[in-house]
């Protein structure tokens, strides 16, 4: 079965950095595009960044462009999100996601809190 396990979240001061990881299993990771989403309390879950199967193309929400970088290591079945220059408004639960056989699969999420 498809499993996505995120890690790397935590508490960081404004201007700091974090790197999130998502280890995937149960499908051929290297042949699927992957996404990072986030959801703040009381808000909808929004797409943050996307990457194609080979990592050739990426796309970002305007709010994180220039600060976040999505990448992947297909040999390790792992998706990453490097987050720099973090702001309090980046505080949210972060999820990785894959659309596999027409079903959207999500990890359990990892909490990112940006606060002084």
């Amino acid at each position: 079965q498809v499993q996505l396990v995120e890690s790397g979240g935590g508490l960081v001061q404004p201007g700091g950095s974090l790197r999130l990881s998502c280890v995937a299993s149960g499908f051929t990771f290297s042949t699927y595009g992957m996404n990072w989403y986030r959801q703040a309390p009381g808000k909808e879950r929004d797409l943050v960044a996307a990457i194609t199967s080979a990592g050739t193309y990426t796309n970002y929400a305007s709010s994180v462009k220039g600060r976040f970088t999505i990448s992947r290591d297909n040999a390790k079945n792992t998706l990453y999100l490097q987050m720099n220059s973090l702001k309090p408004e980046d505080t949210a639960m972060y999820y990785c996601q894959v659309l596999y056989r027409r079903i959207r699969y999500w990890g359990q999420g990892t909490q990112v809190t940006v606060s002084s």
Side-chain angles (χ1 to χ4, degrees), residues 98-115:
V98 64
L99 179 63
Y100 175 71
R101 295 185 178 178
R102 302 185 179 181
I103 298 174
R104 294 186 181 274
Y105 289 89
W106 303 89
Q108 83 288 350
T110 186
Q111 177 67 39
V112 172
T113 302
V114 184
S115 175

Side-chain angles (χ1 to χ4, degrees), residues 27-106:
F27 64 103
T28 306
F29 180 76
S30 61
T31 62
Y32 286 86
M34 296 291 297
N35 304 306
W36 282 103
Y37 281 77
R38 68 184 180 187
Q39 187 169 22
K43 295 189 177 182
E44 294 185 352
R45 192 172 295 189
D46 293 325
L47 180 65
V48 174
I51 189 168
T52 53
S53 57
T56 306
Y57 298 102
T58 58
N59 196 27
Y60 298 91
S62 57
S63 59
V64 306
K65 197 171 293 184
R67 300 188 298 121
F68 290 12
T69 302
I70 188 171
S71 63
R72 63 192 297 161
D73 185 337
N74 285 344
K76 296 182 178 180
N77 284 3
T78 303
L79 177 72
Y80 302 101
L81 186 67
Q82 178 66 43
M83 305 185 296
N84 299 329
S85 302
L86 283 161
K87 305 175 181 180
E89 51 264 43
D90 295 318
T91 295
M93 187 73 79
Y94 284 72
Y95 300 89
C96 62
Q97 182 258 340
V98 64
L99 179 63
Y100 175 71
R101 295 185 178 178
R102 302 185 179 181
I103 298 174
R104 294 186 181 274
Y105 289 89
W106 303 89

Side-chain angles (χ1 to χ4, degrees), residues 1-4 24-27 100 105:
Q1 69 279 20
V2 173
Q3 285 192 320
L4 302 170
S25 61
F27 64 103
Y100 175 71
Y105 289 89

